[in-house]
Amino acid sequence: MIDRCREDLPGALFMYAVPPDFLHTVVPKYPALQQRVQAADYFSRVNPFSPQIDLEHLDLPDDQLLTEIGYRLLAIFEVAYDVRLNRDLQTENVHILAEAARNSFLAISHRRLFVKALVTEWFRQKETGETLITPEYATALIRGQSDALAVLADQQQAPY
């Protein structure tokens, strides 16, 4: 697929998430892949062409990262489900939920919990009407997503 991007898929961008060990155990077995993803350092403002992005080493403060993710997801959600949500109201909801996610000290990544809780809440609000969530409700949403993933992990595999 990587080789086809030049002629058959011009302008295509493929992104994937892998555990760090993948880069050390699997990638070296494939020289063409290694040449494309090998990097001296992670993606940043001073290294904008690095193919590796590490969410633990970003130039953005975590609060800004979560809100930026939320804003971009809102636009995608609206297109995907042919709905128009109240931007001002949902901006507040993004901030409240981002704060709740950052303040959670759970075994699962707060970023993952934030995205899952935010999209779940937008589905609910799409069907039942838009409301401003409270910090307490946001905390419950985050905890609920964590509990749901923990149940799934007990039944199948670790969710992180």
Side-chain angles (χ1 to χ4, degrees):
M1 190 176 316
I2 290 172
D3 290 334
R4 291 189 60 204
C5 288
R6 188 175 310 125
E7 285 98 26
D8 298 335
L9 303 167
L13 171 68
F14 293 92
M15 298 183 78
Y16 56 92
V18 297
D21 191 47
F22 179 85
L23 295 171
H24 305 293
T25 58
V26 176
V27 170
K29 296 176 186 176
Y30 303 96
L33 179 60
Q34 186 175 26
Q35 291 168 4
R36 287 172 171 88
V37 300
Q38 191 172 21
D41 204 356
Y42 296 109
F43 178 87
S44 68
R45 286 187 177 107
V46 297
N47 193 15
F49 296 108
S50 175
Q52 293 182 23
I53 300 171
D54 185 338
L55 294 178
E56 302 303 324
H57 298 94
L58 295 175
D59 293 339
L60 289 176
D62 204 47
D63 58 334
Q64 186 180 352
L65 174 65
L66 290 181
T67 56
E68 290 294 327
I69 289 171
Y71 299 154
R72 284 168 174 76
L73 285 176
L74 179 58
I76 294 167
F77 185 88
E78 289 179 331
V79 169
Y81 297 102
D82 194 28
V83 65
R84 187 77 180 148
L85 299 176
N86 180 305
R87 290 285 169 152
D88 293 335
L89 180 64
Q90 296 309 327
T91 295
E92 285 298 313
N93 285 342
V94 164
H95 284 279
I96 292 167
L97 198 54
E99 181 72 21
R102 280 193 315 278
N103 291 334
S104 68
F105 295 100
L106 303 167
I108 300 169
S109 166
H110 69 285
R111 293 180 188 115
R112 181 177 186 186
L113 295 173
F114 168 74
V115 169
K116 288 183 67 54
L118 185 62
V119 173
T120 299
E121 180 60 17
W122 284 337
F123 271 111
R124 187 192 70 74
Q125 290 196 17
K126 179 175 86 70
E127 297 301 322
T128 63
E130 294 182 79
T131 58
L132 181 64
I133 62 174
T134 65
E136 296 78 20
Y137 181 79
T139 299
L141 281 175
I142 295 295
R143 176 135 332 259
Q145 290 298 327
S146 176
D147 293 346
L149 288 172
V151 168
L152 178 63
D154 289 344
Q155 294 173 354
Q156 295 179 6
Q157 65 184 15
Y160 32 78

Short mmCIF file of all heavy atoms in Angstrom, two decimals, residues 75-129:
data_model
loop_
_atom_site.label_atom_id
_atom_site.label_comp_id
_atom_site.label_asym_id
_atom_site.label_seq_id
_atom_site.Cartn_x
_atom_site.Cartn_y
_atom_site.Cartn_z
N ALA A 75 -16.66 18.64 14.03
CA ALA A 75 -16.88 18.83 12.60
C ALA A 75 -17.09 17.49 11.90
O ALA A 75 -17.97 17.35 11.04
CB ALA A 75 -15.70 19.58 11.98
N ILE A 76 -16.32 16.49 12.26
CA ILE A 76 -16.45 15.16 11.66
C ILE A 76 -17.79 14.54 12.05
O ILE A 76 -18.48 13.96 11.21
CB ILE A 76 -15.28 14.25 12.09
CG1 ILE A 76 -13.96 14.78 11.50
CG2 ILE A 76 -15.52 12.80 11.68
CD1 ILE A 76 -12.72 14.15 12.10
N PHE A 77 -18.17 14.66 13.31
CA PHE A 77 -19.44 14.11 13.79
C PHE A 77 -20.61 14.72 13.01
O PHE A 77 -21.53 14.01 12.59
CB PHE A 77 -19.59 14.39 15.29
CG PHE A 77 -20.82 13.77 15.90
CD1 PHE A 77 -20.77 12.48 16.40
CD2 PHE A 77 -22.01 14.48 15.99
CE1 PHE A 77 -21.90 11.90 16.97
CE2 PHE A 77 -23.13 13.91 16.56
CZ PHE A 77 -23.08 12.61 17.05
N GLU A 78 -20.56 16.03 12.81
CA GLU A 78 -21.66 16.71 12.11
C GLU A 78 -21.80 16.23 10.67
O GLU A 78 -22.90 16.01 10.18
CB GLU A 78 -21.46 18.23 12.17
CG GLU A 78 -21.69 18.80 13.55
CD GLU A 78 -21.47 20.30 13.61
OE1 GLU A 78 -20.64 20.83 12.83
OE2 GLU A 78 -22.13 20.94 14.44
N VAL A 79 -20.68 16.03 10.01
CA VAL A 79 -20.72 15.55 8.63
C VAL A 79 -21.17 14.08 8.60
O VAL A 79 -22.03 13.70 7.81
CB VAL A 79 -19.35 15.71 7.94
CG1 VAL A 79 -19.30 14.97 6.61
CG2 VAL A 79 -19.02 17.18 7.75
N ALA A 80 -20.60 13.29 9.47
CA ALA A 80 -20.89 11.85 9.47
C ALA A 80 -22.35 11.54 9.76
O ALA A 80 -22.91 10.60 9.21
CB ALA A 80 -19.99 11.14 10.48
N TYR A 81 -22.96 12.33 10.62
CA TYR A 81 -24.34 12.04 11.04
C TYR A 81 -25.34 13.10 10.57
O TYR A 81 -26.47 13.13 11.05
CB TYR A 81 -24.38 11.84 12.56
CG TYR A 81 -23.54 10.65 12.91
CD1 TYR A 81 -22.27 10.82 13.44
CD2 TYR A 81 -23.99 9.36 12.66
CE1 TYR A 81 -21.46 9.73 13.72
CE2 TYR A 81 -23.19 8.27 12.94
CZ TYR A 81 -21.93 8.46 13.46
OH TYR A 81 -21.13 7.38 13.72
N ASP A 82 -24.90 13.93 9.62
CA ASP A 82 -25.76 14.92 8.99
C ASP A 82 -26.58 15.69 10.04
O ASP A 82 -27.82 15.72 10.00
CB ASP A 82 -26.69 14.26 7.97
CG ASP A 82 -27.35 15.28 7.07
OD1 ASP A 82 -26.77 16.36 6.85
OD2 ASP A 82 -28.48 15.01 6.59
N VAL A 83 -25.86 16.28 10.97
CA VAL A 83 -26.48 17.03 12.05
C VAL A 83 -25.70 18.32 12.25
O VAL A 83 -24.52 18.40 11.93
CB VAL A 83 -26.53 16.19 13.35
CG1 VAL A 83 -25.14 15.91 13.88
CG2 VAL A 83 -27.39 16.83 14.40
N ARG A 84 -26.35 19.33 12.76
CA ARG A 84 -25.68 20.59 13.08
C ARG A 84 -25.91 20.85 14.56
O ARG A 84 -27.04 21.09 14.99
CB ARG A 84 -26.27 21.73 12.24
CG ARG A 84 -25.56 23.02 12.39
CD ARG A 84 -24.28 22.98 11.58
NE ARG A 84 -23.59 24.26 11.73
CZ ARG A 84 -22.29 24.38 11.71
NH1 ARG A 84 -21.54 23.35 11.53
NH2 ARG A 84 -21.74 25.56 11.84
N LEU A 85 -24.84 20.79 15.34
CA LEU A 85 -24.94 21.03 16.78
C LEU A 85 -24.59 22.48 17.09
O LEU A 85 -23.90 23.14 16.32
CB LEU A 85 -24.01 20.08 17.54
CG LEU A 85 -24.29 18.59 17.37
CD1 LEU A 85 -23.24 17.74 18.09
CD2 LEU A 85 -25.68 18.24 17.86
N ASN A 86 -25.06 22.95 18.22
CA ASN A 86 -24.81 24.32 18.66
C ASN A 86 -23.33 24.45 19.03
O ASN A 86 -22.88 23.87 20.01
CB ASN A 86 -25.71 24.63 19.86
CG ASN A 86 -25.50 26.03 20.38
OD1 ASN A 86 -24.38 26.43 20.71
ND2 ASN A 86 -26.58 26.76 20.48
N ARG A 87 -22.57 25.21 18.25
CA ARG A 87 -21.12 25.33 18.45
C ARG A 87 -20.74 25.87 19.82
O ARG A 87 -19.84 25.36 20.48
CB ARG A 87 -20.49 26.23 17.37
CG ARG A 87 -20.48 25.63 16.01
CD ARG A 87 -19.39 24.59 15.93
NE ARG A 87 -19.56 23.84 14.70
CZ ARG A 87 -18.58 23.28 14.07
NH1 ARG A 87 -17.36 23.36 14.53
NH2 ARG A 87 -18.80 22.60 12.97
N ASP A 88 -21.41 26.93 20.25
CA ASP A 88 -21.08 27.53 21.54
C ASP A 88 -21.33 26.55 22.68
O ASP A 88 -20.49 26.39 23.58
CB ASP A 88 -21.88 28.81 21.77
CG ASP A 88 -21.49 29.92 20.80
OD1 ASP A 88 -20.34 29.89 20.30
OD2 ASP A 88 -22.33 30.81 20.54
N LEU A 89 -22.46 25.89 22.65
CA LEU A 89 -22.81 24.93 23.69
C LEU A 89 -21.84 23.75 23.69
O LEU A 89 -21.33 23.34 24.74
CB LEU A 89 -24.25 24.43 23.48
CG LEU A 89 -24.77 23.42 24.49
CD1 LEU A 89 -24.84 24.04 25.88
CD2 LEU A 89 -26.14 22.93 24.06
N GLN A 90 -21.55 23.23 22.50
CA GLN A 90 -20.66 22.07 22.43
C GLN A 90 -19.21 22.43 22.73
O GLN A 90 -18.46 21.60 23.25
CB GLN A 90 -20.80 21.37 21.09
CG GLN A 90 -22.19 20.78 20.85
CD GLN A 90 -22.67 19.89 21.98
OE1 GLN A 90 -21.90 19.21 22.66
NE2 GLN A 90 -23.98 19.91 22.22
N THR A 91 -18.83 23.68 22.47
CA THR A 91 -17.49 24.12 22.87
C THR A 91 -17.36 24.07 24.40
O THR A 91 -16.34 23.61 24.93
CB THR A 91 -17.22 25.54 22.35
OG1 THR A 91 -17.20 25.50 20.92
CG2 THR A 91 -15.90 26.09 22.85
N GLU A 92 -18.39 24.53 25.08
CA GLU A 92 -18.39 24.45 26.55
C GLU A 92 -18.34 22.99 27.01
O GLU A 92 -17.62 22.65 27.95
CB GLU A 92 -19.63 25.13 27.13
CG GLU A 92 -19.56 26.63 27.07
CD GLU A 92 -18.40 27.19 27.90
OE1 GLU A 92 -18.22 26.76 29.06
OE2 GLU A 92 -17.67 28.04 27.37
N ASN A 93 -19.13 22.14 26.37
CA ASN A 93 -19.13 20.72 26.73
C ASN A 93 -17.76 20.08 26.51
O ASN A 93 -17.31 19.27 27.33
CB ASN A 93 -20.21 19.97 25.94
CG ASN A 93 -21.60 20.24 26.47
OD1 ASN A 93 -21.78 20.71 27.58
ND2 ASN A 93 -22.60 19.96 25.65
N VAL A 94 -17.10 20.45 25.43
CA VAL A 94 -15.75 19.94 25.17
C VAL A 94 -14.82 20.33 26.30
O VAL A 94 -14.05 19.51 26.82
CB VAL A 94 -15.22 20.44 23.80
CG1 VAL A 94 -13.72 20.24 23.68
CG2 VAL A 94 -15.95 19.76 22.66
N HIS A 95 -14.86 21.60 26.72
CA HIS A 95 -13.99 22.08 27.79
C HIS A 95 -14.28 21.36 29.11
O HIS A 95 -13.35 20.95 29.82
CB HIS A 95 -14.13 23.59 27.98
CG HIS A 95 -13.45 24.38 26.92
ND1 HIS A 95 -12.10 24.65 26.93
CD2 HIS A 95 -13.93 24.96 25.79
CE1 HIS A 95 -11.78 25.35 25.88
NE2 HIS A 95 -12.87 25.56 25.16
N ILE A 96 -15.55 21.20 29.43
CA ILE A 96 -15.93 20.54 30.69
C ILE A 96 -15.50 19.08 30.69
O ILE A 96 -14.93 18.58 31.67
CB ILE A 96 -17.46 20.68 30.92
CG1 ILE A 96 -17.80 22.15 31.19
CG2 ILE A 96 -17.93 19.79 32.07
CD1 ILE A 96 -19.30 22.46 31.12
N LEU A 97 -15.73 18.40 29.58
CA LEU A 97 -15.36 16.98 29.50
C LEU A 97 -13.84 16.81 29.46
O LEU A 97 -13.30 15.88 30.06
CB LEU A 97 -16.01 16.35 28.28
CG LEU A 97 -16.09 14.84 28.27
CD1 LEU A 97 -16.77 14.29 29.52
CD2 LEU A 97 -16.84 14.36 27.05
N ALA A 98 -13.14 17.73 28.80
CA ALA A 98 -11.68 17.66 28.76
C ALA A 98 -11.10 17.82 30.18
O ALA A 98 -10.18 17.10 30.56
CB ALA A 98 -11.11 18.74 27.84
N GLU A 99 -11.68 18.74 30.94
CA GLU A 99 -11.22 18.93 32.33
C GLU A 99 -11.47 17.67 33.16
O GLU A 99 -10.60 17.23 33.92
CB GLU A 99 -11.95 20.13 32.94
CG GLU A 99 -11.54 20.44 34.37
CD GLU A 99 -10.15 21.04 34.47
OE1 GLU A 99 -9.65 21.59 33.48
OE2 GLU A 99 -9.55 20.95 35.55
N ALA A 100 -12.63 17.07 32.99
CA ALA A 100 -12.94 15.85 33.73
C ALA A 100 -11.98 14.72 33.34
O ALA A 100 -11.53 13.96 34.20
CB ALA A 100 -14.39 15.43 33.49
N ALA A 101 -11.68 14.62 32.07
CA ALA A 101 -10.77 13.57 31.60
C ALA A 101 -9.37 13.78 32.16
O ALA A 101 -8.72 12.84 32.62
CB ALA A 101 -10.74 13.54 30.07
N ARG A 102 -8.89 15.03 32.13
CA ARG A 102 -7.55 15.32 32.66
C ARG A 102 -7.46 15.06 34.16
O ARG A 102 -6.40 14.68 34.66
CB ARG A 102 -7.16 16.77 32.38
CG ARG A 102 -6.68 17.00 30.98
CD ARG A 102 -6.02 18.36 30.82
NE ARG A 102 -6.74 19.45 31.45
CZ ARG A 102 -7.76 20.10 30.93
NH1 ARG A 102 -8.21 19.76 29.75
NH2 ARG A 102 -8.34 21.09 31.56
N ASN A 103 -8.56 15.24 34.86
CA ASN A 103 -8.55 15.04 36.31
C ASN A 103 -8.79 13.59 36.71
O ASN A 103 -8.75 13.27 37.89
CB ASN A 103 -9.59 15.94 36.97
CG ASN A 103 -9.20 17.40 36.89
OD1 ASN A 103 -8.02 17.73 36.80
ND2 ASN A 103 -10.17 18.28 36.90
N SER A 104 -9.06 12.74 35.74
CA SER A 104 -9.30 11.33 36.07
C SER A 104 -7.97 10.62 36.22
O SER A 104 -7.04 10.85 35.46
CB SER A 104 -10.14 10.66 34.98
OG SER A 104 -9.40 10.56 33.78
N PHE A 105 -7.89 9.79 37.20
CA PHE A 105 -6.69 8.99 37.41
C PHE A 105 -7.10 7.53 37.31
O PHE A 105 -7.26 6.84 38.30
CB PHE A 105 -6.06 9.30 38.76
CG PHE A 105 -5.55 10.71 38.84
CD1 PHE A 105 -6.28 11.69 39.48
CD2 PHE A 105 -4.35 11.06 38.24
CE1 PHE A 105 -5.83 13.00 39.54
CE2 PHE A 105 -3.89 12.36 38.30
CZ PHE A 105 -4.62 13.33 38.94
N LEU A 106 -7.31 7.10 36.07
CA LEU A 106 -7.80 5.76 35.81
C LEU A 106 -6.72 4.99 35.04
O LEU A 106 -5.77 5.56 34.53
CB LEU A 106 -9.10 5.83 35.00
CG LEU A 106 -10.22 6.64 35.69
CD1 LEU A 106 -11.35 6.93 34.72
CD2 LEU A 106 -10.73 5.90 36.91
N ALA A 107 -6.90 3.69 34.95
CA ALA A 107 -5.90 2.85 34.29
C ALA A 107 -5.87 3.04 32.78
O ALA A 107 -4.88 2.73 32.14
CB ALA A 107 -6.18 1.38 34.62
N ILE A 108 -6.93 3.59 32.22
CA ILE A 108 -7.03 3.76 30.78
C ILE A 108 -6.68 5.20 30.43
O ILE A 108 -7.01 6.13 31.17
CB ILE A 108 -8.45 3.39 30.30
CG1 ILE A 108 -8.74 1.94 30.66
CG2 ILE A 108 -8.60 3.62 28.80
CD1 ILE A 108 -10.18 1.54 30.47
N SER A 109 -6.06 5.42 29.29
CA SER A 109 -5.66 6.74 28.86
C SER A 109 -6.81 7.74 28.91
O SER A 109 -7.89 7.48 28.38
CB SER A 109 -5.12 6.68 27.42
OG SER A 109 -5.03 7.98 26.86
N HIS A 110 -6.58 8.88 29.53
CA HIS A 110 -7.61 9.90 29.61
C HIS A 110 -7.99 10.44 28.24
O HIS A 110 -9.12 10.86 28.02
CB HIS A 110 -7.18 11.03 30.56
CG HIS A 110 -6.04 11.87 30.04
ND1 HIS A 110 -4.74 11.43 30.03
CD2 HIS A 110 -6.04 13.11 29.50
CE1 HIS A 110 -3.98 12.37 29.51
NE2 HIS A 110 -4.73 13.40 29.19
N ARG A 111 -7.07 10.39 27.29
CA ARG A 111 -7.39 10.85 25.93
C ARG A 111 -8.42 9.92 25.28
O ARG A 111 -9.37 10.37 24.65
CB ARG A 111 -6.13 10.90 25.08
CG ARG A 111 -5.16 11.97 25.53
CD ARG A 111 -3.92 11.96 24.63
NE ARG A 111 -2.93 12.84 25.18
CZ ARG A 111 -1.75 12.44 25.65
NH1 ARG A 111 -1.42 11.17 25.62
NH2 ARG A 111 -0.90 13.31 26.13
N ARG A 112 -8.21 8.64 25.45
CA ARG A 112 -9.17 7.66 24.88
C ARG A 112 -10.52 7.81 25.54
O ARG A 112 -11.56 7.80 24.88
CB ARG A 112 -8.62 6.25 25.08
CG ARG A 112 -9.52 5.19 24.50
CD ARG A 112 -8.91 3.82 24.63
NE ARG A 112 -9.72 2.85 23.93
CZ ARG A 112 -9.52 1.57 23.95
NH1 ARG A 112 -8.50 1.08 24.63
NH2 ARG A 112 -10.30 0.75 23.31
N LEU A 113 -10.54 7.95 26.85
CA LEU A 113 -11.79 8.10 27.57
C LEU A 113 -12.51 9.38 27.16
O LEU A 113 -13.73 9.41 27.01
CB LEU A 113 -11.55 8.08 29.08
CG LEU A 113 -11.03 6.77 29.65
CD1 LEU A 113 -10.67 6.93 31.12
CD2 LEU A 113 -12.04 5.65 29.45
N PHE A 114 -11.76 10.45 26.95
CA PHE A 114 -12.33 11.72 26.52
C PHE A 114 -13.05 11.56 25.18
O PHE A 114 -14.20 11.97 25.02
CB PHE A 114 -11.23 12.79 26.41
CG PHE A 114 -11.65 14.04 25.70
CD1 PHE A 114 -12.50 14.96 26.31
CD2 PHE A 114 -11.20 14.31 24.41
CE1 PHE A 114 -12.89 16.12 25.65
CE2 PHE A 114 -11.58 15.46 23.75
CZ PHE A 114 -12.43 16.37 24.37
N VAL A 115 -12.37 10.97 24.20
CA VAL A 115 -12.96 10.81 22.87
C VAL A 115 -14.20 9.93 22.93
O VAL A 115 -15.25 10.28 22.38
CB VAL A 115 -11.92 10.24 21.88
CG1 VAL A 115 -12.57 9.81 20.57
CG2 VAL A 115 -10.81 11.26 21.62
N LYS A 116 -14.12 8.80 23.63
CA LYS A 116 -15.27 7.90 23.72
C LYS A 116 -16.45 8.57 24.42
O LYS A 116 -17.59 8.48 23.97
CB LYS A 116 -14.89 6.60 24.43
CG LYS A 116 -13.99 5.71 23.58
CD LYS A 116 -13.68 4.41 24.24
CE LYS A 116 -14.82 3.48 24.41
NZ LYS A 116 -15.61 3.11 23.26
N ALA A 117 -16.18 9.26 25.52
CA ALA A 117 -17.25 9.92 26.26
C ALA A 117 -17.86 11.06 25.46
O ALA A 117 -19.08 11.24 25.44
CB ALA A 117 -16.72 10.43 27.60
N LEU A 118 -17.03 11.83 24.78
CA LEU A 118 -17.52 12.97 24.00
C LEU A 118 -18.43 12.52 22.87
O LEU A 118 -19.54 13.05 22.71
CB LEU A 118 -16.32 13.76 23.45
CG LEU A 118 -16.64 15.06 22.71
CD1 LEU A 118 -17.34 16.06 23.62
CD2 LEU A 118 -15.36 15.65 22.14
N VAL A 119 -18.00 11.55 22.11
CA VAL A 119 -18.81 11.08 20.98
C VAL A 119 -20.09 10.41 21.49
O VAL A 119 -21.17 10.63 20.92
CB VAL A 119 -17.99 10.15 20.07
CG1 VAL A 119 -18.86 9.51 18.99
CG2 VAL A 119 -16.82 10.92 19.43
N THR A 120 -19.99 9.66 22.56
CA THR A 120 -21.19 9.04 23.15
C THR A 120 -22.19 10.11 23.58
O THR A 120 -23.39 9.99 23.35
CB THR A 120 -20.80 8.16 24.35
OG1 THR A 120 -19.93 7.12 23.88
CG2 THR A 120 -22.01 7.55 25.02
N GLU A 121 -21.68 11.18 24.19
CA GLU A 121 -22.56 12.26 24.63
C GLU A 121 -23.19 12.98 23.45
O GLU A 121 -24.36 13.36 23.50
CB GLU A 121 -21.80 13.24 25.53
CG GLU A 121 -22.62 14.40 26.04
CD GLU A 121 -23.84 14.00 26.88
OE1 GLU A 121 -23.91 12.84 27.36
OE2 GLU A 121 -24.74 14.85 27.06
N TRP A 122 -22.45 13.19 22.39
CA TRP A 122 -23.03 13.83 21.20
C TRP A 122 -24.14 12.98 20.61
O TRP A 122 -25.15 13.52 20.17
CB TRP A 122 -21.97 14.12 20.16
CG TRP A 122 -21.11 15.30 20.50
CD1 TRP A 122 -21.41 16.34 21.33
CD2 TRP A 122 -19.80 15.55 20.01
NE1 TRP A 122 -20.37 17.23 21.38
CE2 TRP A 122 -19.37 16.77 20.59
CE3 TRP A 122 -18.94 14.88 19.16
CZ2 TRP A 122 -18.13 17.33 20.31
CZ3 TRP A 122 -17.70 15.42 18.89
CH2 TRP A 122 -17.30 16.64 19.46
N PHE A 123 -23.97 11.67 20.60
CA PHE A 123 -25.06 10.80 20.13
C PHE A 123 -26.29 10.98 21.00
O PHE A 123 -27.41 11.09 20.50
CB PHE A 123 -24.63 9.32 20.14
CG PHE A 123 -23.98 8.88 18.88
CD1 PHE A 123 -22.63 8.57 18.85
CD2 PHE A 123 -24.71 8.75 17.71
CE1 PHE A 123 -22.03 8.16 17.69
CE2 PHE A 123 -24.11 8.33 16.54
CZ PHE A 123 -22.76 8.04 16.52
N ARG A 124 -26.09 11.02 22.31
CA ARG A 124 -27.23 11.20 23.22
C ARG A 124 -27.90 12.54 22.96
O ARG A 124 -29.13 12.61 22.84
CB ARG A 124 -26.77 11.11 24.68
CG ARG A 124 -27.95 11.12 25.66
CD ARG A 124 -27.50 11.32 27.10
NE ARG A 124 -26.99 12.66 27.35
CZ ARG A 124 -27.76 13.75 27.45
NH1 ARG A 124 -29.05 13.69 27.32
NH2 ARG A 124 -27.20 14.94 27.70
N GLN A 125 -27.10 13.59 22.84
CA GLN A 125 -27.67 14.92 22.65
C GLN A 125 -28.33 15.07 21.27
O GLN A 125 -29.30 15.79 21.13
CB GLN A 125 -26.61 16.00 22.86
CG GLN A 125 -26.19 16.10 24.32
CD GLN A 125 -25.45 17.37 24.64
OE1 GLN A 125 -25.48 18.34 23.90
NE2 GLN A 125 -24.80 17.38 25.80
N LYS A 126 -27.82 14.36 20.30
CA LYS A 126 -28.43 14.39 18.96
C LYS A 126 -29.85 13.83 19.03
O LYS A 126 -30.76 14.35 18.38
CB LYS A 126 -27.57 13.55 18.00
CG LYS A 126 -28.10 13.48 16.58
CD LYS A 126 -27.13 12.74 15.66
CE LYS A 126 -27.29 11.27 15.64
NZ LYS A 126 -28.47 10.74 15.00
N GLU A 127 -30.06 12.84 19.85
CA GLU A 127 -31.37 12.18 19.94
C GLU A 127 -32.30 12.83 20.96
O GLU A 127 -33.51 12.85 20.76
CB GLU A 127 -31.19 10.69 20.29
CG GLU A 127 -30.44 9.91 19.23
CD GLU A 127 -31.11 9.94 17.87
OE1 GLU A 127 -32.36 9.89 17.80
OE2 GLU A 127 -30.39 10.03 16.86
N THR A 128 -31.75 13.35 22.06
CA THR A 128 -32.62 13.84 23.15
C THR A 128 -32.59 15.36 23.31
O THR A 128 -33.33 15.89 24.14
CB THR A 128 -32.22 13.19 24.49
OG1 THR A 128 -30.89 13.57 24.82
CG2 THR A 128 -32.33 11.68 24.41
N GLY A 129 -31.73 16.04 22.56
CA GLY A 129 -31.64 17.49 22.68
C GLY A 129 -30.33 17.92 23.32
O GLY A 129 -29.81 17.24 24.21
#
